Amino acid sequence: MATGIHVVGLGVSHEADLSPEALQVLQQVDLVVGSERQLATLVSLLPVGKATLLLPKLEALQELIDESLAANRSVMILASGDPLFYGIGRWFSRHFSAEQLTFYPAVSSLQVACHRLGIALQDVEVLSLHGRPLLKLRTRLRQHQPLLILTDAHSTPTALAQECIACGFVDAKVTVCEALGYPNEKIRDFTAQDLVSERCQIEFDPLHVSLLEPGCNRGFLPEFPGIPDQHFVTDKAGAGRGMLTKREVRLSILSQLQVAKGECVWDIGAGCGGVSVELAYWNPNSHIYAIEHHADRLGCLEQNRQRFGVVSNLSIVEGRAPQALTGLPIPDKVFIGGSGGELPALLSHVWTLLPVGGVLLCSAVTEASKHHLYQFYETRLGSADSHYETLQVAVSHGHSLAGQVMYRPSLPVTLYVFKKESR
């Protein structure tokens, strides 16, 4: 008899396409759990009297499975396509041990869509907006890079088109693959302009996959690190002005921090969010906490968070450091761009929190801040507990004056980088 949890992919069809192994398990398990649509695909295969249950919310599902395992009852969970490719399988891997789980993959809707359209799966990027903010699309839009998108009621083809046009991808095209594997399957092509037209009254099957071809980038979303300053919302009039770390300095900060997958980063004194937004944008699997207390800058920070779509991995913390740091996850890396006169205490507090291998990066423009950083540098030198580096970034921008080019220097920014090697 089957034991444990069996997560079974159903394939892409109105009738479940199960492997021989999955068919055998179906005969043996005590309970089959799935959505109404998924259970309907099993009608001709379900043994008479087999217990079935509509898929509950994940919290209730956890409780149900725990109770079943405790009673030595086996459970089959139905999944669409490949359970471990943007499917429910990932949730099971997080909540149950490998010994309790058996997976049965099937062809996914993404694979079938590629075959219907005659494109290689490795030539597209896959994005799931199912249960995720629509704005996340902005973090993945790249010039001429096709996106194969799993959607929900908030990320319809029309909503995708609206986002593309809002971001400057005005030539985008959307191919909608509806009800794949069902008798009413259909594939339709649209331009983004067509989809947002007032004349467009098209209804789409809820069961669909969208291929988005963005075309040329004519807007503000970046293709490479170093977002132009004028693309940020700031607290002062004029392109690129206001409390914003300028692009050339920002690039040095990104390079020095070298944020890795899964790391937690604090940006203290985040201002309008130049550093925080770029950190979150280029590191989607890391979480960034932007700490700021100034009301106007907080407003700009939130606007930039929305503007660049980093709503899933950039959290805004209102308040002054170090008090506002209480309760935040311990950081792997910290950037201090502003301290509100609390730099000595802040440096000491953050250094105590950082784990071995953690990085503290600070910038300074005023002589007072440079002095505090030099004192901290001397302390670290005496303690021999870190690897350190310091540099100054001095940039002059060219401007036209009386038909000639003149370079105007910006204030040099001093950066100190400390990597913790011992406690």
Side-chain angles (χ1 to χ4, degrees), residues 99-379:
E99 291 75 22
Q100 295 173 304
L101 292 165
T102 307
F103 293 98
Y104 304 82
V107 173
S108 72
S109 59
L110 299 169
Q111 290 172 286
V112 172
C114 282
H115 282 266
R116 295 286 196 272
L117 300 172
I119 57 176
L121 187 55
Q122 69 264 27
D123 290 335
V124 300
E125 287 193 5
V126 176
L127 170 64
S128 177
L129 292 177
H130 188 80
R132 295 174 174 86
L134 175 62
L135 283 173
K136 187 175 176 64
L137 174 65
R138 299 189 177 197
T139 68
R140 299 290 293 277
L141 283 173
R142 301 286 187 275
Q143 182 163 287
H144 302 306
Q145 174 57 64
L147 284 170
L148 199 54
I149 306 175
L150 295 168
T151 60
D152 61 16
H154 304 289
S155 49
T156 62
T158 300
L160 299 179
Q162 289 170 338
E163 279 296 295
C164 286
I165 292 174
C167 296
F169 290 87
V170 295
D171 301 321
K173 298 178 181 178
V174 183
T175 301
V176 187
C177 304
E178 302 173 73
L180 292 173
Y182 283 74
N184 59 327
E185 174 184 316
K186 55 187 169 185
I187 296 176
R188 294 184 280 178
D189 298 314
F190 306 90
T191 67
Q193 300 288 354
D194 288 339
L195 286 169
V196 301
S197 168
E198 292 182 0
R199 301 186 302 273
C200 183
Q201 302 293 328
I202 299 173
E203 295 289 332
F204 295 98
D205 191 293
L207 193 64
H208 71 264
V209 174
S210 292
L211 174 70
L212 174 59
E213 298 172 274
C216 291
N217 185 354
R218 308 181 195 279
F220 57 86
L221 292 179
E223 299 285 336
F224 194 81
I227 300 172
D229 296 340
Q230 65 268 24
H231 288 175
F232 287 95
V233 178
T234 62
D235 55 337
K236 287 186 180 178
R241 298 183 62 189
M243 194 56 65
L244 182 81
T245 302
K246 301 305 182 280
R247 175 164 62 171
E248 296 80 8
V249 178
R250 203 183 323 129
L251 280 167
S252 294
I253 292 167
L254 296 177
S255 177
Q256 292 289 346
L257 283 175
Q258 293 288 312
V259 175
K261 180 179 180 180
E263 288 188 325
C264 173
V265 185
W266 292 356
D267 177 8
I268 299 175
C272 296
V275 171
S276 293
V277 166
E278 290 234 35
L279 286 173
Y281 194 90
W282 303 113
N283 298 278
N285 295 307
S286 299
H287 205 98
I288 316 302
Y289 291 86
I291 298 94
E292 178 56 56
H293 70 89
H294 192 283
D296 289 344
R297 294 167 197 161
L298 279 166
C300 295
L301 179 56
E302 176 57 31
Q303 288 181 70
N304 287 319
R305 178 175 175 265
Q306 300 273 338
R307 180 174 175 80
F308 292 96
V310 288
V311 293
S312 297
N313 67 324
L314 174 56
S315 297
I316 297 175
V317 180
E318 181 177 357
R320 289 181 178 271
Q323 295 84 358
L325 306 177
T326 303
L328 295 183
I330 298 299
D332 299 289
K333 292 171 181 174
V334 176
F335 170 59
I336 301 178
S339 60
E342 299 287 340
L343 187 55
L346 193 52
L347 289 168
S348 177
H349 178 73
V350 168
W351 189 253
T352 301
L353 291 175
L354 277 176
V356 173
V359 173
L360 171 60
L361 170 59
C362 308
S363 68
V365 175
T366 67
E367 295 305 313
S369 295
K370 291 177 188 177
H371 175 68
H372 292 315
L373 282 173
Y374 185 75
Q375 287 185 318
F376 187 74
Y377 158 81
E378 288 191 315
T379 301

Side-chain angles (χ1 to χ4, degrees), residues 21-42:
E21 295 82 6
L23 280 170
Q24 182 177 355
V25 169
L26 178 61
Q27 302 291 324
Q28 298 174 350
V29 292
D30 297 301
L31 177 65
V32 178
V33 180
S35 69
E36 186 175 357
R37 180 186 66 81
Q38 290 168 336
L39 289 170
T41 68
L42 279 182

Side-chain angles (χ1 to χ4, degrees), residues 5 61-70 75 77 92 96:
I5 308 164
L61 181 60
Q62 170 93 53
E63 184 177 345
L64 167 72
I65 293 176
D66 286 340
E67 291 175 355
S68 296
L69 294 178
V75 182
I77 305 294
F92 276 93
F96 299 94

